[in-house]
Amino acid sequence: MATVVTVMDRGTWVSNTDIIVVVDPARRRLLWVPRDVWSPAIAHRINKAFAVGGHDVLRTCLAALGIETSHGICLRREATEHLLAEAVVTVRVERPLRLWYPIEPTARIEDGRKPVDFDPPAETLSGERIHQWIGARYSRAGPSSDLDRIRRQQVLLRGLLRARFPLGAALDDPRYVRVSSGGAVDDVRRIRSWWRFRCLSGLRPDTIDGKMVLVRP
């Protein structure tokens, strides 16, 4: 089977899981699930599923999308912040990126924003620049979507894997990690840079209960 790995956008266990990735060792694939996918099971976006009912509810929501998982790992924001605090990674930049980012990494963009730029052919990232790369959502140069952010997350993760960065260290502090079973950790430790990186496809935008969401026709 597979393991769903989620990362929360804030430092509590009732925050949204804005990064959702299914680790499938049998297929040698990582599958990103956009946070705005609508889940009828909880009548909300899927990024709320873990806060509603932990690993079991999130796995149920994924199963409704045809994604079967056996295990789950959820990391609070602090786990990734500690992991990446000393990281230095070079990422490929295919075109100039002109983005908006909150004044502070944990602040709401509605409370203030600053411009961040990434220029071809590559950028070497460290510190807050890593979080800007994976977290910036809004383009200053035209329309953008969460899919753009997912593509940047994929580029960063592949770069870290190629550099043999110790990603497993994010699982070391039980204060910031919830693991459903030992099989989840085994699946994550199998990830390699040459695996296929994909995003859930066949989605279309919609509005449900006043929320802008993504649905499968």
Side-chain angles (χ1 to χ4, degrees):
M1 287 290 247
T3 292
V4 56
V5 178
T6 53
V7 181
M8 290 186 153
D9 66 342
R10 293 291 184 272
T12 74
W13 291 116
V14 293
S15 302
N16 293 334
T17 52
D18 277 0
I19 297 177
I20 304 171
V21 183
V22 176
V23 179
D24 190 337
R27 298 182 181 180
R28 296 173 179 173
R29 183 187 73 178
L30 299 182
L31 178 69
W32 271 252
V33 178
R35 65 180 198 159
D36 290 336
V37 171
W38 179 256
S39 177
I42 57 171
H44 212 290
R45 299 182 181 101
I46 198 168
N47 67 344
K48 198 70 175 175
F50 189 90
V52 169
H55 295 296
D56 289 342
V57 169
L58 176 57
R59 290 178 58 238
T60 297
C61 293
L62 290 171
L65 296 170
I67 304 170
E68 298 293 338
T69 56
S70 297
H71 316 291
I73 295 176
C74 184
L75 299 95
R76 281 194 358 206
R77 185 184 180 99
E78 295 95 329
T80 55
E81 288 177 340
H82 294 165
L83 174 71
L84 298 173
E86 304 300 324
V88 178
V89 59
T90 298
V91 296
R92 185 178 70 255
V93 184
E94 295 182 349
R95 58 183 176 82
L97 297 176
R98 304 292 179 254
L99 306 169
W100 289 114
Y101 189 73
I103 293 296
E104 299 290 341
T106 58
R108 301 188 313 161
I109 200 165
E110 294 86 352
D111 296 330
R113 62 185 185 179
K114 60 185 177 184
V116 293
D117 298 338
F118 301 97
D119 292 306
E123 292 265 3
T124 298
L125 309 177
S126 62
E128 187 177 314
R129 288 284 283 173
I130 292 179
H131 296 283
Q132 292 170 354
W133 175 265
I134 60 177
R137 293 178 52 209
Y138 300 103
S139 171
R140 308 194 323 264
S144 60
S145 73
D146 202 43
L147 300 182
D148 298 313
R149 185 171 67 158
I150 285 174
R151 282 189 283 270
R152 295 197 307 272
Q153 292 168 0
Q154 292 172 339
V155 169
L156 177 74
L157 180 57
R158 200 180 293 278
L160 291 169
L161 289 167
R162 285 173 174 164
R164 300 184 181 275
F165 189 79
L167 295 173
L171 308 178
D172 290 344
D173 194 330
R175 294 176 300 171
Y176 305 130
V177 183
R178 289 189 175 174
V179 180
S180 69
S181 66
V185 176
D186 292 340
D187 282 353
V188 168
R189 295 193 187 281
R190 292 190 180 100
I191 298 172
R192 297 293 183 267
S193 63
W194 46 267
W195 282 19
R196 292 178 297 133
F197 287 17
R198 297 289 185 266
C199 182
L200 183 65
S201 60
L203 303 170
R204 64 173 176 82
D206 201 349
T207 302
I208 301 178
D209 293 343
K211 302 178 179 68
M212 297 179 65
V213 299
L214 297 171
V215 298
R216 269 191 158 175

